[in-house]
Amino acid sequence: MIGLYQFHRPDPTVDYADSIGALRDLLDAGKIRHAGISNANPAQIRLANEILGGRLASVQNEFSPTYRSSEPELELCADLGIAFLPWSPLGGIAKAGELGSRFAPFAEVAGRHGISPQQVCLAWMLAKAPVVIPIPGSSRPETIRDSAKAVHVQLSPAELVELNAAR
């Protein structure tokens, strides 16, 4: 049995509802334990959750300080209790190291806490809703350990306002 089957890219030649119906069939048959969707808008999230009988487990959309257009999807997932999995949360592997120089408030908050801007970024996302589970890719063990420490970072309400305003 597959633990989580994440439907990543809809085939434009297949009706979206039919594709989600196939996920429902896999759930009903016990082939998969959980079903998720990716790159979905709010209407698709609602439709998928309806077709799956309230069993939509996750939505995986791009979300980062650079790419915030998935904020409505994140908020909807929080309202529905569906895991929101931001991909490229640090802006992509080529830009993750530049996060602090590209978004000064993340570097400023990091300096006050004595941590990396990347940790601040992940902590900021985690603070948005308890359903957020960022997917920070990494090729080095030290950056994996750094990212994992974000769960222990407590940002103040003022810091969250500062980071939310950073563009």
Side-chain angles (χ1 to χ4, degrees):
M1 176 186 293
I2 296 172
L4 172 62
Y5 187 97
Q6 196 73 30
F7 178 51
H8 281 278
R9 298 227 187 256
D11 182 337
T13 66
V14 176
D15 182 66
Y16 191 75
D18 289 343
S19 294
I20 301 302
L23 286 178
R24 180 198 56 226
D25 295 345
L26 291 170
L27 279 169
D28 292 346
K31 302 283 185 189
I32 62 174
R33 182 170 288 130
H34 301 286
I37 58 176
S38 298
N39 307 304
N41 62 42
Q44 290 170 319
I45 294 168
R46 286 186 186 93
L47 177 64
N49 200 41
E50 180 184 326
I51 292 169
L52 296 173
R55 297 179 291 171
L56 180 62
S58 61
V59 173
Q60 183 180 351
N61 280 14
E62 184 175 12
F63 186 76
S64 69
T66 301
Y67 191 88
R68 297 188 188 192
S69 65
S70 286
E71 190 93 38
E73 291 83 357
L74 187 158
E75 291 170 5
L76 178 59
C77 286
D79 290 344
L80 297 174
I82 297 168
F84 183 82
L85 314 173
W87 57 271
S88 287
L90 303 175
I93 195 160
K95 295 182 181 177
E98 304 167 1
L99 189 129
S101 62
R102 296 179 69 226
F103 297 94
F106 286 85
E108 292 162 10
V109 171
R112 292 195 296 266
H113 285 265
I115 60 177
S116 72
Q118 293 76 13
Q119 268 187 55
V120 170
C121 180
L122 295 172
W124 165 71
M125 287 185 185
L126 291 168
K128 287 193 164 292
V131 299
V132 175
I133 306 168
I135 307 171
S138 179
S139 59
R140 299 177 311 157
E142 58 271 19
T143 57
I144 293 169
R145 286 189 289 274
D146 186 71
S147 291
K149 291 177 186 176
V151 299
H152 303 295
V153 176
Q154 295 295 314
L155 300 171
S156 72
E159 288 171 326
L160 292 172
V161 168
E162 181 182 357
L163 297 171
N164 284 333
R167 298 284 178 179

